[in-house]
Amino acid sequence: MNDSVSAALQAYGQTAYFEALKLAFALACAERVRHLLEDEGVLRCLDTLGEYVAGRADRCTLDSAASEASALANRHQGSRSLDGVGHAAVSASYAVANALAGRAVQAADYAAYAAVYGSGGYGAVCDADSFLPERAWQLSQLQRIAEKFALQ
């Protein structure tokens, strides 16, 4: 679990824009691993989240995409590869599903796993430091997005 992102998000918990911030941050994390997604349906769901965050889709559309993304992630077959690289698509799919559900910390966690799996897999299992660059990027993105909302 990403305690630093969780703590940073909690700091914004009393703001009027907290829900929008969580969705925008979760979208950024999922978009970062978009290239690892294999299922066109999951890609469409991610696009729906982008449309919602941009104000071009309604809540009903978002909720429908969230249900679809969850179902798609849960039935992803994964990989028969022993090195874990093929599991990047599974983790990326779960990042999208969690992002659409508004679970920003979980979306960030799955996106980080996808990024590490996608770069070779070993680090996701054996080297906690392999997550440091991704966690740093996530914190900087969260701060950037929060500053944008605060200025509105």
Side-chain angles (χ1 to χ4, degrees), residues 116-129:
V116 173
Y117 277 136
S119 66
Y122 172 82
V125 178
C126 300
D127 183 11
D129 287 347

Side-chain angles (χ1 to χ4, degrees), residues 26 29-30 94-96 98-99 103-112 138:
C29 291
Y94 276 107
V96 172
N98 279 282
R103 294 186 295 265
V105 173
Q106 292 87 343
D109 282 341
Y110 277 110
Q138 290 174 348

Side-chain angles (χ1 to χ4, degrees), residues 3-152:
D3 292 333
S4 55
V5 166
S6 182
L9 268 173
Q10 286 178 354
Y12 299 110
Q14 299 303 315
T15 63
Y17 53 83
F18 183 60
E19 289 302 315
L21 171 66
K22 285 193 319 180
L23 287 170
F25 171 66
L27 172 64
C29 291
E31 281 289 353
R32 187 157 165 92
V33 295
R34 179 185 195 98
H35 66 284
L36 299 171
L37 293 168
E38 297 174 339
D39 188 305
E40 290 296 321
V42 177
L43 287 163
R44 281 191 304 276
C45 290
L46 180 55
D47 290 341
T48 298
L49 177 57
E51 292 294 308
Y52 182 82
V53 167
R56 295 187 296 265
D58 62 22
R59 186 65 192 209
C60 183
T61 303
L62 178 71
D63 291 344
S64 178
S67 293
E68 182 181 356
S70 178
L72 290 168
N74 284 325
R75 68 174 193 239
H76 198 294
Q77 293 183 357
S79 171
R80 293 187 176 108
S81 170
L82 293 177
D83 65 3
V85 175
H87 295 296
V90 176
S91 293
S93 295
Y94 276 107
V96 172
N98 279 282
L100 280 153
R103 294 186 295 265
V105 173
Q106 292 87 343
D109 282 341
Y110 277 110
Y113 277 111
V116 173
Y117 277 136
S119 66
Y122 172 82
V125 178
C126 300
D127 183 11
D129 287 347
S130 65
F131 290 93
L132 294 177
E134 197 62 23
R135 300 297 192 206
W137 178 87
Q138 290 174 348
L139 283 170
S140 70
Q141 283 299 111
L142 178 57
Q143 182 178 8
R144 185 186 65 77
I145 294 167
E147 287 170 359
K148 178 181 158 191
F149 277 108
L151 293 175
Q152 294 178 349

